[in-house]
Amino acid sequence: MLPTNVTQLIGRTPVMSIEIPSRDSILVLKIEKNNPGGSMKDRMARSMVVAALQDGRLAPGGTIVESSSGNTGIGLALAAVEFGLNFIAVVDHH
């Protein structure tokens, strides 16, 4: 599938394996920083917005207000764009 919007890239993070011969094992790494917002919180934020829209807690065209100055806010902003919602990030003045 060729993505047509940025949020379709959420959760399609690459997995990398590294052999560790001395332990006869393989280390598997999921590269979450490759999500569009640079964090695994993109996945969580989008899931929260989808759930809120589905059960009616968030109306179409509604507004998300979140106290965040980091990854959760970025994930919610991405989801807001996807679903045509408004987003207000409340951040500390520091």
Side-chain angles (χ1 to χ4, degrees):
M1 171 183 100
L2 187 61
T4 57
N5 69 54
V6 71
T7 56
Q8 290 173 347
L9 298 171
I10 294 173
R12 299 185 188 283
T13 53
V15 176
M16 178 180 147
S17 67
I18 300 172
E19 284 191 46
I20 305 174
S22 63
R23 295 198 172 214
D24 193 28
S25 58
I26 297 173
L27 177 64
V28 179
L29 305 171
K30 188 155 177 60
I31 316 297
E32 289 288 349
K33 71 177 189 103
N34 284 16
N35 272 307
S39 166
M40 66 180 157
K41 291 188 178 180
D42 292 356
R43 186 188 317 253
M44 171 274 301
R46 186 179 186 281
S47 293
M48 287 188 339
V49 170
V50 167
L53 286 167
Q54 287 176 343
D55 69 16
R57 287 179 289 156
L58 181 57
T63 301
I64 301 165
V65 180
E66 174 69 16
S67 175
S68 175
S69 60
N71 294 328
T72 300
I74 293 168
L76 288 169
L78 288 169
V81 169
E82 176 183 5
F83 296 105
L85 302 166
N86 299 300
F87 176 67
I88 298 171
V90 180
V91 297
D92 189 305
H93 71 281
H94 298 295

